[in-house]
Amino acid sequence: MANNIQTAHRATAVPMKLNEAGSIAVSGPKRVTGGTPDDSNRVILELDAVDVFYGDFHAVDSVTIPIREKEITALIGPSGCGKSSVLRSINRMNDLIDTARVEGSIRYHGVDLYGPTVDPVEVRRRIGMVFQKPNPFPKSIYENVSFGPKIAKYGGNMDDLVEESLRRAALWDEVKDKLEQSAYALSGGQQQRLCIARAIATSPDVVLMDEPASSLDPIATLRIEELMFDLKQQYTIVIVTHNMQQAARVSDRTAFFSVDVSGGQRTGHLVEFSKTTELFTNPRESQTEDYITGRFG
Amino acid sequence: MTAATKRREEETKRQVERAIGRSGIDWTSVWFSGALVVLLLTTLSILLVLIADILMKAWPTFQERGITFVTDGLSLNPATAGVFTAIVGSVMIATIVAVISFPIGIAAAVWLEEYAPNNRFTQFVDTTVRNLAGVPSIVYGLLGLAIFVPLVRALGLGGSSDGKNVLAAGITMAVLVLPIVVITAAEAVRAVPYSIREAGFGVGATQWEVIRSHVVPSALPGILTGTVLTLARAIGETAPLLVIGVATGYFAPAGDATLADQITGPYTALPVVVFSWSRQTQAEFANTLAPAAIIVLLAVLFILNGAAIWLRNRTEKKW
Amino acid sequence: MTPTLTIEALAGDPKRRRKERRVRTLFASAGMVSIAVSILIMVALIGEAWAFISQVELASLFTFGWFPRRGFYDIPTLIVATTLIAGIGMIVAVPLGLGTASYLAEYASPRARRWLKPTIELLAGVPSVVLGFWALTFISPEFVQRLFSAAPPFTMMAAGLGVGVLITPLVATVSEDAMRAVPIDLRLASYGLGANRSVTVRKVVVPAALSGIVASLILALSRAIGETMIVFMAAGAVGGALRTANPLEPGQTMTAAIAALATGSDQVAGEGLAFQSLFFVGLLLFLITLVLNSVSNRFVRKYRERY
Ligand SMILES: Nc1ncnc2c1ncn2[C@@H]1O[C@H](COP(=O)(O)OP(=O)(O)OP(=O)(O)O)[C@@H](O)[C@H]1O
Ligand SMILES: [Mg+2]
């Protein structure tokens, strides 16, 4: 496994230097840092003036973010500023909330995800999701991974697909002998990697992660971060995080949100979106600077 | 330290001791707790006396007749009368109840919890179910008498009983327990954590796939517990059967009848024999046979309740 | 991974969407069954009840007693007996049920609770026909007739006591749930102020759980009014009853009146309107319990919302 990661790093020749944000101490054997994103990467998801409402409550105001292929895009900001709301509107998980409503447009490969003929189920098969708390099904490890492909009528060899997904999620070596055991017997960190394996088993091209490491200990967190770095070779990742060091370490680009308290409503909005290195070393907005230096939030 | 300071300290210490030490007995508290214990013990002893009294009255029957009391059918002779006919009737009714009320009730619960939008109409349906659960059982008997008995007759299934058969009884009982099935199943479905559904939707499952593969399997022990208890309720009910014309007297033993005859002909059920024997003029029926039938009925119900508790304990593993 | 995506690719499999719609419709129609049942009940009751009320001589609804086969339909007879028996039941069940609930919720150790609660539930599972038999063969001779030597074997007193035994576990379990729903913080606050357990139960827990307790009592009252078998078996007066409020006499409640008339000879028979009168009484019963249950549900919702 450790080999895997090193090869991956070598293969992409990720520069291992610390940027200025590296003053934030990173513990653990390896330091992963945000790559130098290439502006020639294709934009595959365009959030264009996205508003999210819950009933009458205006949760998020006019967010515009282009998300590029095979990059990690981080959404950061204080609690309640609408990071999860934006993330969940990308794969239409918000449809499951009765009161939720999304305005503006989200284009995926140029197709409006909220178009009248779009089936949200189809969207979620292409844009997978990993949740804040590990939420494996109360079933075996194998069934957890195979459920998605099974309902998508996957035609290939399921055993191979399960193995492949678990390998990519860096979990195979730990569970290969107990695939039939309950997923609930795994540790929190293992469960979260299982959820990642489950998400990638349907071969999505975007994976959304909502604070995927917030309920894990530092070591498990580090493994997830390494894993994301690996996954970036294949997938486009959008991650919500509370942890600025994490955003600085793993993401290529960062969107910083804030929340306005006006007229009794707490409406979130995008303050700044740029390359992670820029955002952390040379923020354009003073609000961003206050937040990342800990003077706010 | 002067003697005066010392005295003052001693005095303070005594005062504190008096304040926080056990200051005699708080009689209100004693009375109250005592009363609670007495009330609890009264409730428990009622159950105890009830069971002991009936067991004692039933004992001679089981002593003399042994298992034949369970294997013998109806008879006008107290020495040979048994509960077999009644058990057959109860089992047939319970089967019909299960076939009708379980699928409809569980589906209704799933609709209420998973599909129904959160609006006025859904609330109305929910309230309707709750109100139906509180309708006295005898009113369901009237419903059966006015609608289901004629329905069975109209369908040509009246047989020798003219519609007063287990079909009408089963439908009536199924409708009676339906709200209970819905309420208990809905509770079980509601207890499934939302994160499981999210996980399902997150990998691109449709609503039905999430329900079928994750929600219902997770809720199944709870649903089964509810359905088993529901069966117990259906087996113990008497009043609606009386209204829809269950036989309260003797009728030809079912031994030589075909299954079709049994289904469309006159019938009786366990609680009904308890009732009808208790008003027979021959003393043996009321004094020893009815209590013995009660023991059989209670045994059946205890087994069902035990099954329900076993199922409930199996639920307590996950999440 | 498709390099370019078309809108068609996201439209989803039409077959799957059709299936999804079918399943949804199926489940929704199961949900509608409860509405259908309510309508059926109304239709069944109101039709015959209307036939009764439009044909009966109004004077015969207020006479001296309930003798439907002879054309005397004194509704007050049934109402008085119903109230009396339900009242006796409540007098038994309120202290026993609430005492048991308070003990279970506040005093019992978790271990004791583990077997006490199922025992109470066991009592709740005893069918009413069994309690009817017991009221007639035990409560009446061993209790009522011992206390009041003049009492006949069939009395409303014996039936009322039997009904009390029936609804005690209902009061106990529903109230206990309400008491246990009171947040532990409230109790800790009370203990923190130096209150002991008895004061905490009486002054903090019971008031906080009040709406749930009231719900349990109304529910129990509704059940007592709707109970048939105990009254039918133990209160006598199967052929009809005189109007009386003396608990040591036989009597007939609304439920027992229906059962007696329907069971008479395996056949609802008698003077012209007897059959229809069943449904009129049934409708009354339905409406009374409906009101009680609605009120009770409202109280339950109140405490569910609170905590
Ligand atoms: N289902 C919902 N119904 C109503 N309001 C909601 C719902 N979900 C979120 N909100 C509101 O929308 C706003 C944004 O919530 P959101 O969860 O997106 O914030 P967040 O940035 O992810 O916060 P956190 O960092 O705490 O997860 C909040 O004010 C929240 O209260
Ligand atoms: Mg969030």
Side-chain angles (χ1 to χ4, degrees):
Chain A
M1 170 53 234
N3 271 340
N4 251 346
I5 284 205
Q6 266 149 15
T7 14
H9 283 192
R10 235 173 284 127
T12 50
V14 173
M16 295 287 281
K17 68 169 193 339
L18 275 181
N19 52 35
E20 253 98 317
S23 57
I24 298 156
V26 178
S27 62
K30 243 180 329 250
R31 291 171 183 188
V32 276
T33 59
T36 43
D38 187 348
D39 283 345
S40 68
N41 278 347
R42 215 153 44 98
V43 172
I44 70 166
L45 262 170
E46 298 168 77
L47 279 65
D48 192 353
V50 171
D51 283 51
V52 183
F53 298 85
Y54 295 103
D56 294 335
F57 175 57
H58 192 179
V60 181
D61 181 43
S62 188
V63 168
T64 302
I65 309 175
I67 290 167
R68 288 168 195 269
E69 194 166 32
K70 298 193 179 145
E71 283 187 2
I72 299 182
T73 305
L75 312 183
I76 65 170
S79 187
C81 65
K83 307 178 293 290
S84 300
S85 301
V86 168
L87 192 75
R88 297 164 63 89
S89 62
I90 297 176
N91 69 341
R92 297 195 56 176
M93 285 297 273
N94 274 345
D95 286 28
L96 302 172
I97 301 167
D98 271 349
T99 55
R101 189 160 48 84
V102 176
E103 282 180 7
S105 85
I106 300 180
R107 284 184 300 277
Y108 172 59
H109 292 287
V111 176
D112 184 0
L113 289 180
Y114 285 82
T117 60
V118 172
D119 182 0
V121 171
E122 218 45 67
V123 174
R124 293 182 204 125
R125 286 183 185 174
R126 289 172 165 76
I127 305 179
M129 188 155 198
V130 175
F131 300 84
Q132 177 166 1
K133 265 175 64 190
N135 58 349
F137 300 123
K139 302 199 160 162
S140 73
I141 294 169
Y142 186 96
E143 287 171 296
N144 262 279
V145 180
S146 63
F147 177 72
K150 208 168 74 194
I151 54 170
K153 308 226 163 46
Y154 174 69
N157 183 322
M158 189 64 85
D159 291 356
D160 291 348
L161 178 64
V162 169
E163 177 173 344
E164 169 74 15
S165 308
L166 285 168
R167 274 190 197 283
R168 283 201 193 148
L171 190 60
W172 175 251
D173 290 331
E174 290 156 68
V175 302
K176 63 178 176 219
D177 300 323
K178 45 181 184 181
L179 292 176
E180 295 310 319
Q181 283 180 22
S182 164
Y184 279 63
L186 298 175
S187 74
Q190 289 173 322
Q191 287 188 4
Q192 194 62 303
R193 276 179 281 147
L194 176 64
C195 292
I196 293 175
R198 182 177 66 190
I200 59 185
T202 50
S203 33
D205 58 350
V206 180
V207 180
L208 310 176
M209 301 186 172
D210 193 348
E211 304 188 38
S214 69
S215 65
L216 305 180
D217 63 60
I219 300 200
T221 301
L222 198 71
R223 295 210 65 173
I224 300 278
E225 289 178 10
E226 289 172 347
L227 176 58
M228 283 193 283
F229 222 78
D230 247 8
L231 293 174
K232 188 171 105 166
Q233 314 308 316
Q234 284 233 4
Y235 307 100
T236 307
I237 297 175
V238 185
I239 175 178
V240 167
T241 177
H242 253 132
N243 179 329
M244 277 178 297
Q245 291 93 318
Q246 189 172 63
R249 281 195 298 266
V250 304
S251 70
D252 299 296
R253 294 175 204 267
T254 300
F256 171 63
F257 289 74
S258 186
V259 56
D260 262 354
V261 186
S262 60
Q265 288 212 333
R266 298 171 44 89
T267 300
H269 61 97
L270 180 66
V271 175
E272 181 167 352
F273 174 66
S274 46
K275 290 182 183 169
T276 301
T277 40
E278 277 170 29
L279 190 122
F280 278 88
T281 56
N282 192 13
R284 283 195 302 268
E285 304 287 331
S286 60
Q287 231 183 328
T288 318
E289 187 171 0
D290 289 351
Y291 186 73
I292 59 179
T293 53
R295 262 177 276 164
F296 168 85
Chain B
M1 202 186 289
T2 66
T5 345
K6 201 161 182 181
R7 245 197 339 271
R8 252 200 326 274
E9 277 184 5
E10 292 275 292
E11 177 58 22
T12 316
K13 188 174 165 219
R14 257 200 309 280
Q15 277 176 358
V16 171
E17 259 172 8
R18 220 175 303 144
I20 66 170
R22 287 197 179 278
S23 51
I25 300 167
D26 175 359
W27 283 108
T28 337
S29 176
V30 170
W31 275 112
F32 183 71
S33 327
L36 291 191
V37 173
V38 169
L39 291 169
L40 172 78
L41 291 180
T42 311
T43 308
L44 293 178
S45 55
I46 289 175
L47 179 65
L48 208 71
V49 174
L50 166 69
I51 305 237
D53 177 54
I54 304 236
L55 263 181
M56 253 153 44
K57 286 174 182 157
W59 184 243
T61 306
F62 287 111
Q63 208 174 22
E64 282 164 31
R65 307 270 305 276
I67 194 72
T68 59
F69 176 70
V70 178
T71 55
D72 283 339
L74 286 181
S75 167
L76 291 171
N77 176 0
T80 58
V83 290
F84 187 74
T85 323
I87 291 178
V88 171
S90 283
V91 168
M92 287 197 289
I93 293 173
T95 310
I96 298 174
V97 167
V99 168
I100 297 177
S101 71
F102 292 179
I104 298 181
I106 295 169
V110 167
W111 180 77
L112 273 174
E113 292 301 318
E114 302 290 313
Y115 284 105
N118 188 5
N119 61 17
R120 277 270 182 84
F121 179 72
T122 306
Q123 231 156 39
F124 172 68
V125 175
D126 189 71
T127 311
T128 306
V129 172
R130 271 168 216 293
N131 285 336
L132 282 180
V135 171
S137 59
I138 194 141
V139 172
Y140 283 98
L142 291 175
L143 174 66
L145 179 66
I147 295 185
F148 299 136
V149 172
L151 177 74
V152 167
R153 211 182 289 145
L155 291 175
L157 297 168
S160 60
S161 67
D162 202 22
K164 293 170 183 170
N165 52 32
V166 286
L167 293 173
I171 298 173
T172 305
M173 286 294 197
V175 171
L176 187 153
V177 300
L178 185 67
I180 315 173
V181 177
V182 178
I183 290 172
T184 52
E187 240 156 53
V189 169
R190 206 176 310 135
V192 177
Y194 187 68
S195 66
I196 301 243
R197 298 178 178 86
E198 251 179 359
F201 288 120
V203 294
T206 64
Q207 184 141 28
W208 170 231
E209 283 159 351
V210 168
I211 290 170
R212 191 193 49 194
S213 308
H214 302 298
V215 176
V216 169
S218 296
L220 202 59
I223 293 177
L224 288 179
T225 308
T227 52
V228 170
L229 289 177
T230 303
L231 272 193
R233 169 88 195 269
I235 288 176
E237 271 296 344
T238 324
L241 296 183
L242 294 182
V243 177
I244 56 174
V246 68
T248 51
Y250 174 80
F251 62 89
D256 54 333
T258 65
L259 184 64
D261 290 340
Q262 280 188 38
I263 289 176
T264 57
Y267 68 104
T268 187
L270 266 177
V272 176
V273 293
V274 172
F275 165 75
S276 49
W277 283 349
S278 75
R279 4 190 263 170
Q280 293 281 329
T281 38
Q282 277 165 287
E284 289 103 315
F285 275 111
N287 293 347
T288 67
L289 289 186
I294 288 180
I295 295 299
V296 175
L297 174 61
L298 290 181
V300 172
L301 297 183
F302 285 180
I303 291 170
L304 284 174
N305 274 291
I309 290 171
W310 179 74
L311 281 168
R312 185 161 63 190
N313 290 343
R314 281 180 44 128
T315 342
E316 282 161 15
K317 44 173 193 186
K318 299 165 195 161
W319 47 83
Chain C
M1 243 171 291
T2 39
T4 50
L5 187 79
T6 58
I7 189 97
E8 286 77 32
L10 284 183
D13 180 0
K15 224 162 71 194
R16 187 186 66 214
R17 288 175 16 168
R18 257 201 311 279
K19 179 177 176 190
E20 200 65 18
R21 250 199 317 275
R22 267 204 307 274
V23 171
R24 193 195 184 94
T25 313
L26 195 72
F27 279 58
S29 33
M32 296 311 112
V33 169
S34 62
I35 308 249
V37 169
S38 304
I39 294 174
L40 275 186
I41 290 182
M42 298 294 240
V43 168
L45 294 182
I46 291 177
E48 302 288 354
W50 178 250
F52 174 74
I53 206 72
S54 57
Q55 289 171 50
V56 76
E57 273 177 59
L58 288 187
S60 67
L61 292 179
F62 303 94
T63 54
F64 56 95
W66 174 262
F67 294 95
R69 285 169 215 271
R70 284 191 268 142
F72 298 111
Y73 307 101
D74 184 48
I75 301 295
T77 301
L78 304 183
I79 304 271
V80 168
T82 303
T83 313
L84 187 67
I85 288 179
I88 296 173
M90 291 302 279
I91 289 172
V92 173
V94 170
L96 284 183
L98 291 186
T100 304
S102 313
Y103 189 89
L104 277 182
E106 303 298 323
Y107 283 81
S109 68
R111 232 183 55 235
R113 208 178 155 271
R114 216 165 20 244
W115 66 267
L116 281 174
K117 186 96 197 266
T119 311
I120 303 295
E121 281 168 356
L122 209 63
L123 184 56
V126 174
S128 62
V129 70
V130 175
L131 288 173
F133 179 83
W134 197 58
L136 178 64
T137 59
F138 185 89
I139 296 179
S140 176
E142 304 295 335
F143 201 82
V144 178
Q145 288 184 308
R146 261 171 220 261
L147 276 181
F148 310 95
S149 49
F154 294 98
T155 57
M156 291 194 271
M157 177 66 101
L161 294 176
V163 168
V165 174
L166 179 85
I167 58 179
T168 295
L170 186 71
V171 174
T173 50
V174 180
S175 305
E176 198 232 349
D177 281 346
M179 289 186 194
R180 286 174 70 84
V182 174
I184 185 82
D185 302 359
L186 230 56
R187 292 187 182 95
L188 292 181
S190 166
Y191 290 127
L193 291 173
N196 60 22
R197 199 191 292 240
S198 135
V199 173
T200 305
V201 173
R202 282 177 294 137
K203 301 274 158 66
V204 176
V205 176
V206 168
L210 200 61
S211 57
I213 292 173
V214 172
S216 83
L217 298 184
I218 300 174
L219 196 64
L221 180 63
S222 158
R223 183 71 64 80
I225 291 175
E227 169 50 33
T228 307
M229 291 316 292
I230 297 176
V231 184
F232 187 32
M233 293 171 81
V238 169
L242 292 168
R243 192 196 297 180
T244 170
N246 181 354
L248 295 178
E249 281 180 32
Q252 206 168 45
T253 60
M254 291 188 274
T255 54
I258 298 172
L261 205 48
T263 323
S265 57
D266 286 355
Q267 192 66 266
V268 182
E271 197 243 14
L273 289 173
F275 179 79
Q276 283 84 351
S277 75
L278 277 183
F279 290 87
F280 180 71
V281 176
L283 183 63
L284 270 185
L285 186 63
F286 175 73
L287 293 177
I288 291 172
T289 52
L290 185 66
V291 169
L292 288 175
N293 290 328
S294 306
V295 175
S296 166
N297 280 335
R298 188 137 312 159
F299 276 105
V300 168
R301 208 166 297 145
K302 214 159 153 192
Y303 91 81
R304 289 254 164 84
E305 269 164 21
R306 187 117 42 97
Y307 304 117

